[in-house]
Structures are given as structure tokens and as C-alpha cells.
Amino acid sequence: MTTLENSIFIAASPDQVWKVLARLDGLAEYDPAIAEARIETRERSGLLAERRCELKDGNWFRERVTAWEPERALAFELCECSFPVRSLAHRYQLTTENGGTRVEQRMQYELKLGPLGAVLDALLVRRQWNAGIRAFFAGLKDRVESPDEPRQAGPDTLHAAPS
């Protein structure tokens, strides 16, 4: 199992960050890899709500909310995807810091393909997904700190699987 940990400081309150992060169908507004995010369940938010995300590169994933603590924590578990992934879970922790919010993400995943998956992870996947998480965080920061300026789609970047 691989673990990736990233964090970012956002000059906004946990409430402001939460409003963006917890809008499950809003991911394409700030994640440069996402073309569309849509809710797949009757629940639009909270535990067990699910979303399906279409990536700009043609891949897709569906994930379920496994932790919902307003203004504190949000977690997802992968349900299915087009990637060779056996399991994936990621959690966001929000804490007040210096008049703003520190957002920490911890992602744990395991690829399919046995030993070949481990080699692919070490050579390519881990680096690509980490770059994608950083791009996701940069988009989240821009969206929260400049809510009236929608993020413009730029050139495709390396992306993380579910963010």
C-alpha cells in the first residue's frame, strides 16, 4: 500500500474552505484534471453520498464519502474506476492556522497487477498522482481565496486519481 501526504495553507476560514471542498459536484471548478463531477446518489452530501468524476484524459472514477465532519474532515473511498487500482481512500483534515486554514490530505492506495503494479507505482504512478494532488490543492486555494474569479481551464496537467 502506498501513502501520499500533502498539505496547503489557504488564507480563509475553515468554513470557507469547507463550502468549496464539500460541494461534491463542484470538483471540476478547481481541479484542472476533472472535466465533470456529478452526484450519483439521492444524498447530495454527507456520509455515503457518491460522486462520479470524468477526467479530461478520458478516465473516470466513482467514490463514496466515508467521513463527513463539517469544517473539520472529509474522506472518500473509491468504489470503481478506469484505473488499475485495487483500493484507494483519501482524507482531508482542516485545521485553523495563522488566521487561515491548513488542509492536509492523506491518500492510501494499492494498484492491481501484483509486482508489475508495484513497479509502475514506483516509476510513474506515485509521481504523477502526487503532482495531480498539488495541482488540485493549487486550484482549491485559488477557488477559495478568489471565489468570484472562476478558474479557467488550462493545459492538461498530470493528475491524481480521485481527489
Side-chain angles (χ1 to χ4, degrees), residues 27 40 56 68 83 85-86 101 116 131-132 152-153:
L27 189 58
E40 293 279 295
K56 291 178 181 175
W68 185 272
F83 299 103
V85 174
R86 179 178 318 286
T101 303
L116 177 59
Q152 297 298 316

Side-chain angles (χ1 to χ4, degrees), residues 4-92:
L4 300 176
E5 295 180 333
N6 286 277
S7 72
I8 193 165
F9 175 80
I10 298 177
S13 69
D15 175 62
Q16 292 169 299
V17 175
W18 179 261
K19 285 177 183 174
V20 174
L21 193 61
R23 198 174 129 234
L24 301 180
D25 59 353
L27 189 58
E29 294 175 8
Y30 56 90
D31 187 329
I34 303 296
E36 177 188 13
R38 65 181 177 270
I39 309 275
E40 293 279 295
T41 54
R42 273 186 25 183
E43 300 83 15
R44 298 198 55 78
S45 63
L47 285 175
L48 306 180
E50 294 182 11
R51 69 179 169 195
R52 179 180 168 111
C53 297
E54 305 291 334
L55 283 78
K56 291 178 181 175
D57 69 4
N59 283 299
W60 61 272
F61 62 89
R62 189 169 60 86
E63 60 187 355
R64 172 182 309 118
V65 174
T66 57
W68 185 272
E69 301 170 38
E71 300 177 31
R72 293 183 43 220
L74 177 62
F76 296 91
E77 177 180 77
L78 190 69
C79 300
E80 58 183 325
C81 69
S82 60
F83 299 103
V85 174
R86 179 178 318 286
S87 66
L88 187 148
H90 56 112
R91 180 179 181 87
Y92 301 92

Side-chain angles (χ1 to χ4, degrees), residues 116-134:
L116 177 59
V119 170
L120 284 171
D121 186 43
L123 294 177
L124 180 69
V125 174
R126 183 178 318 181
R127 193 169 47 246
Q128 282 186 329
W129 287 5
N130 225 5
I133 293 166
R134 287 190 301 272

